[in-house]
Amino acid sequence: MSFSNGKIHPANGASAEGEKPFKIFVGYDPKEDIAYQVCRHSILKRSSIPVEIIPIKQSDLRKSGLYWRERGQFESTEFSFSRFLTPCLANYQGWAMFVDCDFLYLADIKELRDLIQDKYAIMCVQHDYTPKETTKMDGAVQTVYPRKNWSSMVLYNCGHPKNSVLTPDTVNSQTGAFLHRFQWLEDDEIGSVPFVWNFLEGHNRVVENDATTKPKAIHYTRGGPWFDAWKHCEFADLWLNEMEEYLKESKKEITK
C-alpha cells in the first residue's frame, strides 16, 4: 500500500547521495493550513538530511478507503485518529515520524532521527501534562487523559511486529484510549525522547543557563498565533517570523 503526496527534499548543505529520505507525516486540518505550511517550512529550512514531508489529509484518506470513522465531538482536529495510520502509510517499513501541524522546529531534524533506537516500537516525549484551560485553539474542548500529548509527535518503528496491529480497521474502530495511550504496546516498548523536541508552550519552561531546556521544537498545543485568541502566546514571535519567511519564499516561487 502506498500513499504519498509529499515531495522529497534534499538535505541542506550536505551530501545525502543514496540516503533514503526520512518520512515525516504531518497532521493536516483545512482550518490550520498556515500552521501546516509553517511547520513544514521550519523542518525543511533546518534539515541536513533528505526528508519527505507528507500531509495526513482526511479527505484523501477517505477517497483512498483508508479512513471512514465519523468525527467525534471531542476531536479538535481532522487528524485526531488518522495519525495512527502512519505505519500503514509508510508501508510498515523503516522509521517514520508523525507530528501535529502546530509545531515549529528550531533544530535540525537529523538530531531527532539520530535518537532512534531499533529496540523500541515507538519513541516520543513522555509528558506529564494536565492542562489548566478548558478550551483550546478556536474554542475546541480541552480534554484531559493519561499520556496526553504523547501522540502529538511520535517516531514509529513501522516494521516492528507490534505496530502491524495499526491497520485501517483498527484505526477506524478502536477507542481514543487504546490509540492515544498506545495500549497495543508494553511500557518497555515505548522509548523516551527529551522534552525539548515537544516543548509545550505554556507548560514547559526554559531554565536560564541550562541548554538542555532550550526548545528544539515548540508545540503550540493550546493554540498558536494563527488563532486570534492566541496571537500573544509565548514564542509567538518565533512562529510569526517563520510565517513571514515562508510567505516571502512562496511569493518568490509563484513569480518564477
Side-chain angles (χ1 to χ4, degrees):
M1 186 183 296
S2 180
F3 181 92
S4 173
N5 54 359
K7 291 181 181 176
I8 296 172
H9 293 265
N12 291 328
S15 173
E17 199 173 327
E19 188 177 359
K20 280 189 175 180
F22 182 48
K23 289 188 175 183
I24 301 173
F25 294 88
V26 181
Y28 182 88
D29 192 303
K31 292 187 302 182
E32 297 183 80
D33 177 76
I34 190 62
Y36 164 78
Q37 300 295 350
V38 172
C39 174
R40 177 180 177 275
H41 181 272
S42 72
I43 294 170
L44 294 176
K45 174 184 170 183
R46 297 166 177 84
S47 181
S48 65
I49 57 171
V51 294
E52 183 180 4
I53 298 180
I54 304 158
I56 291 189
K57 293 187 176 182
Q58 191 180 119
S59 57
D60 290 347
L61 294 172
R62 288 188 184 278
K63 286 174 193 168
S64 303
L66 296 175
Y67 195 76
W68 56 86
R69 76 186 292 160
E70 289 183 20
R71 185 163 178 172
Q73 67 180 103
F74 296 118
E75 291 178 47
S76 57
T77 67
E78 285 198 359
F79 49 87
S80 293
F81 288 108
S82 56
R83 71 186 66 212
F84 298 104
L85 288 170
T86 294
C88 172
L89 297 176
N91 296 314
Y92 301 101
Q93 294 174 359
W95 282 83
M97 184 172 98
F98 170 83
V99 65
D100 285 1
C101 65
D102 54 357
F103 273 64
L104 177 71
Y105 280 83
L106 304 175
D108 186 350
I109 204 73
K110 180 181 183 295
E111 293 179 41
L112 178 58
R113 192 202 61 176
D114 287 350
L115 297 175
I116 284 173
Q117 296 183 57
D118 288 331
K119 66 180 179 179
Y120 295 118
I122 67 166
M123 297 181 71
C124 65
V125 176
Q126 300 182 8
H127 287 295
D128 181 10
Y129 174 58
T130 304
K132 302 178 188 72
E133 299 80 19
T134 55
T135 61
K136 62 179 179 176
M137 301 191 303
D138 57 348
V141 174
Q142 177 69 277
T143 53
V144 178
Y145 51 86
R147 295 183 169 177
K148 185 169 178 66
N149 265 314
W150 287 30
S151 64
S152 59
M153 191 284 293
V154 182
L155 294 163
Y156 282 95
N157 186 353
C158 300
H160 192 285
K162 283 288 192 77
N163 289 332
S164 63
V165 74
L166 293 178
T167 62
D169 281 339
T170 300
V171 173
N172 281 283
S173 62
Q174 268 292 354
T175 63
F178 178 87
L179 294 167
H180 284 282
R181 299 179 202 172
F182 309 127
Q183 289 180 348
W184 71 93
L185 299 173
E186 302 297 327
D187 288 354
D188 62 4
E189 292 168 329
I190 305 172
S192 182
V193 171
F195 80 93
V196 290
W197 285 104
N198 188 346
F199 190 103
L200 303 178
E201 180 278 328
H203 174 69
N204 292 128
R205 291 283 173 259
V206 178
V207 177
E208 197 174 350
N209 300 321
D210 184 353
T212 64
T213 65
K214 185 180 176 183
K216 292 179 183 287
I218 297 168
H219 183 187
Y220 298 90
T221 184
R222 302 184 301 170
W226 55 97
F227 292 118
D228 286 340
W230 297 98
K231 281 197 183 300
H232 304 292
C233 66
E234 195 178 6
F235 305 111
D237 57 329
L238 297 180
W239 189 91
L240 291 167
N241 290 342
E242 192 86 22
M243 181 191 72
E244 288 300 324
E245 197 173 299
Y246 157 71
L247 291 173
K248 280 179 189 172
E249 288 178 15
S250 57
K251 279 178 187 172
K252 281 181 191 172
E253 287 294 319
I254 291 168
T255 55
K256 275 184 183 177

